[in-house]
Structures are given as C-alpha cells and as structure tokens.
C-alpha cells in the first residue's frame, strides 16, 4: 500500500490518469477543476494511492487547522476499493495538520454501502457538489437511440420549441460575449430564487477554463433574438455533466430548455459520452415533496429519466475529533459567513 505525490506534466496527463481509475470519471476530479478551486483559496495536490489517482484540495480553516477535500472522489467503484485508500489519505492529511478529510466517492446509497462506510469511521454530512442525488441519462449509441429513450412528453416539448423557431447556438470557441450571455441568464435565476451565488470571476472563470481545455461547451437557446436558456456542459471520458444552466424568468418559451438539453446531449454523445449527469435532483424519496429546494429542477430533469440516482454524498473522516466537533457546531458556519461577506463565496 503506497501513496505518492505527483507533479503532473500537464492537465491532459493528469486527466488521462484519472480515466484509469475504477470508478466513474468526474469533472470535479479533473486538473481543470482543481485550478478553479485554486483561484478561491484551495491548494491542489495530486496523489496516486495504490495506483488510483486522487485529486486532493487543501485549505486552512482559521483557528482549526487544515481541511482536505477530495471532490467527487476517490474515483472507486466499491467500498472495498475505498477501504485501503482511506488510512493512507488520512495519515497524510493528519501530518499536514488537517483536522478533517472530506471525501465524495460516487458510491450508491445502499444499506450495505452505508454500513460499510460507517465501519470505516466515515460520517455522512450532506452534499458539497449538487449531484449527491441526480438524474443520469443514457446517451450511448446513436441520436436515434437517444431519442427513443427520452419520454414522449419531453420529445413533444422540444419539437414544439423547434416549430416555434427556438434556435440553439454553440461554438467550438466561446467568446467573452458567450460567457456574459450565460452569466446574465444565471443572474436572473439567482435573483429569482434568492440563492447565494459565486461571484463573476469564479463562475465565468470556471466556464472559461473548461472550454479552453476542450472539456466544456456553452449552449444558448434563443427565440426572436432573445436568449431564453443557457447551459454549460462538460465531458470527461465517457461522463458528461450538465454543470450549470439557466433560463429566463419572464416570458418563458415552452420547450426551449428541453430542446437545449437535447442539443447538449447530442453533443456529449459526439464527444464519446455514454452517461449524462443532469447534476442535481431531490433525493429519490422526496421527488414529490414541493418543499424540497430541488423540487422544481428535479421535475424538469426527471422529464428525461424518471429514475433518481442517490449517491452516498459527502463523507467526513475526523482526524482531530475535538476540533472537528467544534467545526461542526459553529466553525464552518462562521467561516462561511465571513467568506460570503468578502466575495460571495462558500468555504467549499
């Protein structure tokens, strides 16, 4: 059992290693996402533990020590594959002064997995990334295969949008105006829902980094010369992710968002994706709960596949129990409020 640190020669080299891992590849584990987080205070590190590449982010929490965070990883396919990695990552984090190792492996939320994870000393702690529960769409095969799998009601919606002259725009090279158009749509959603958003530099910076690397693309649906919906989608290996999306709040055009998703799925399929993550939904037990914050977007996303996939979510391995307990009681909320006041950011 070995852990070694690497200095990747390039983003492509690290991402190629990630694709050798036994679990699902994720945009959140890529070199590009680590660079995004670096701009908001995290220090990226690149480890190989028992031949499994692991992207590690570390950050100081004033008064507590360091937090180590493994976004949507380690990329394993079972708890049995995770178990030997955990002590090595935990020991390295402890030597670095960390009081907490937070991981997010994409393991299904089953009774067996939950019990096995608890036996490893891991504590479930909600979600960091939005797709702890999500809708996955099979985009393998041909566009005809994909069309056949989409429920008829949704097919009718985007066919209606086509008849109503909704046009979906996309280009291999995004311009500054492309980013700003999606940002303006995103701000409409933020204002309408009253959510705390990342600032312009972070959000647009992330889109730009992935688009420049050839791993992401922005799509915009227009109607009568007006932007009505937008999407930012990534493809890493065979996994596509609908990371961000927005639509106008007033004078909505029926079917425009569905047509937009159809176009993004076809593009993802062309890039070699076989699975398309709609990135966020209510837990499968709460899909009918109108009070759930994900209810609205969950209803839309389940128009492409009724099944919700529940992962185990974020898992904490406390390394210094007293500090961790204080962090959970008040520390993380205080730090998050300070960051939000400074630049509209969150700790993670």
């Amino acid at each position: 059992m070995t852990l070694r640190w690497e200095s990747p020669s390039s983003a492509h080299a690290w991402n190629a290693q990630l694709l050798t891992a036994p679990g699902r590849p994720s945009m959140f584990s890529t070199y590009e996402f680590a660079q995004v987080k670096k701009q908001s205070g995290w220090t990226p590190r690149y480890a190989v533990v028992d031949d499994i590449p692991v992207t590690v982010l570390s950050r100081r929490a004033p008064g507590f020590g360091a937090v180590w965070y493994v976004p949507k990883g380690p990329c394993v396919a079972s708890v049995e594959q995770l178990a030997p990695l955990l002590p090595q990552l935990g020991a390295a984090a402890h030597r670095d002064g960390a009081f907490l190792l937070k991981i997010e492996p994409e393991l299904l939320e089953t009774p067996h997995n939950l019990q096995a994870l608890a036996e490893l000393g891991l504590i479930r702690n909600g979600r960091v990334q939005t797709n702890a529960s999500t809708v996955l769409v099979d985009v393998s095969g041909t566009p005809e295969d994909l069309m056949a799998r989409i429920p008829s009601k949704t097919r009718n919606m985007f066919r209606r949008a086509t008849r109503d002259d909704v046009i979906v725009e996309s280009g291999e090279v995004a311009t500054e105006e492309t980013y700003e158009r999606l940002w303006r749509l995103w701000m409409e959603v933020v204002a309408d829902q009253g959510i705390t958003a990342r600032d312009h530099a972070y959000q647009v910076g992330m889109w730009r980094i992935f688009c420049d690397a050839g791993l992401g693309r922005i799509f915009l649906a227009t109607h009568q010369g007006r932007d009505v919906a937008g999407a930012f989608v990534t493809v890493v290996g065979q996994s596509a992710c609908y990371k961000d999306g927005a639509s106008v709040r007033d004078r909505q055009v029926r079917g425009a968002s569905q047509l937009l998703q159809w176009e993004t799925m076809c593009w993802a399929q062309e890039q070699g994706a076989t699975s398309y993550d709609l990135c966020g939904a209510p837990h499968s037990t709460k899909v009918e709960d109108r009070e759930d914050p994900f209810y609205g977007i969950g209803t839309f996303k389940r128009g492409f596949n009724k099944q919700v996939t529940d992962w185990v979510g974020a898992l904490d391995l406390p390394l210094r129990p007293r500090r961790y307990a204080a962090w959970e009681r008040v520390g993380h909320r205080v730090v998050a409020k300070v960051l939000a006041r400074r630049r509209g950011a969150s700790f993670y």
Side-chain angles (χ1 to χ4, degrees):
M1 296 183 183
T2 58
L3 182 154
R4 70 177 187 274
W5 295 106
E6 298 213 345
S7 299
S9 59
S10 66
H12 176 77
W14 181 248
N15 294 340
Q17 279 190 267
L18 289 175
L19 296 182
T20 68
R24 284 169 46 87
S26 170
M27 66 161 284
F28 300 104
S29 299
T30 61
Y31 187 94
E32 286 75 15
F33 189 70
Q35 296 309 300
V36 173
K37 303 308 287 184
K38 184 177 181 179
Q39 296 177 5
S40 61
W42 292 89
T43 299
R45 304 181 185 193
Y46 306 94
V48 177
V49 190
D50 295 350
D51 296 324
I52 295 178
V54 181
T55 303
V56 176
L57 304 175
S58 65
R59 183 174 192 170
R60 308 301 296 184
F64 291 87
V67 172
W68 276 29
Y69 170 44
V70 181
K72 298 305 283 187
C75 188
V76 294
S78 67
V79 178
E80 290 71 24
Q81 291 173 350
L82 174 66
L85 312 185
L86 203 57
Q88 298 175 76
L89 286 169
H94 192 275
R95 288 193 297 270
D96 189 51
F99 67 93
L100 166 63
L101 170 63
K102 184 180 287 285
I103 65 174
E104 269 181 312
E106 286 200 336
L107 298 173
L108 290 173
E109 184 194 64
T110 65
H112 166 79
N113 282 347
L114 294 180
Q115 180 178 345
L117 291 167
E119 290 172 356
L120 293 175
L122 291 162
I123 300 169
R124 297 187 77 192
N125 200 346
R127 64 173 89 199
V128 176
Q129 303 306 330
T130 57
N131 55 345
S133 289
T134 194
V135 175
L136 300 176
V137 179
D138 178 359
V139 295
S140 62
T142 66
E144 292 75 20
D145 296 330
L146 174 57
M147 179 71 79
R149 285 191 289 266
I150 293 176
S152 60
K153 182 178 179 180
T154 301
R155 293 200 302 267
N156 291 337
M157 290 289 287
F158 61 68
R159 285 168 176 160
R160 171 176 176 165
T162 300
R163 290 194 303 270
D164 290 344
D165 297 323
V166 173
I167 299 171
V168 176
E169 300 177 7
S170 176
E172 290 186 14
V173 179
T175 66
E176 289 305 310
E177 178 58 21
T178 305
Y179 297 125
E180 291 306 315
R181 288 166 66 187
L182 182 56
W183 172 255
R184 287 192 290 269
L185 286 168
W186 180 245
M187 284 295 96
E188 284 197 41
V189 174
V190 169
D192 179 69
Q193 298 184 3
I195 60 178
T196 301
R198 304 280 190 174
D199 63 18
H200 181 277
Y202 179 97
Q203 197 72 38
V204 174
M206 177 178 62
W207 299 337
R208 183 181 293 111
I209 285 173
F210 275 89
C211 290
D212 287 350
L215 297 178
R217 186 172 289 192
I218 288 175
F219 295 78
L220 292 160
T222 67
H223 182 250
Q224 298 178 349
R226 181 176 71 120
D227 293 333
V228 293
F232 167 64
V233 179
T234 65
V235 175
V236 177
Q238 294 184 319
S239 295
C241 180
Y242 167 50
K243 173 62 179 68
D244 295 313
S247 59
V248 292
R249 302 291 94 184
D250 65 323
R251 293 189 295 149
Q252 297 182 12
V253 180
R254 287 178 60 82
S257 294
Q258 286 83 355
L259 178 62
L260 181 71
Q261 286 299 321
W262 165 250
E263 295 292 344
T264 62
M265 289 177 188
C266 287
W267 172 78
Q269 188 183 72
E270 291 172 0
Q271 305 308 302
T274 58
S275 175
Y276 185 100
D277 187 348
L278 280 159
C279 205
H283 190 274
S284 60
T285 61
K286 295 185 176 181
V287 293
E288 303 299 336
D289 181 1
R290 292 179 177 271
E291 300 302 315
D292 189 281
F294 285 87
Y295 173 79
I297 60 172
T299 301
F300 167 74
K301 293 173 181 180
R302 290 177 66 239
F304 293 89
N305 179 12
K306 289 295 184 184
Q307 181 179 350
V308 171
T309 297
D310 298 314
W311 305 117
V312 294
L315 303 164
D316 290 353
L317 182 67
L319 304 174
R320 289 176 166 82
R322 289 184 180 178
R323 291 190 205 174
Y324 173 75
W327 173 256
E328 283 300 294
R329 282 198 304 272
V330 295
H332 70 98
R333 287 188 288 273
V334 171
V335 171
K337 287 181 180 178
V338 170
L339 289 172
R341 285 199 300 268
R342 286 179 182 174
R343 54 181 181 269
S346 68
F347 184 77
Y348 291 101

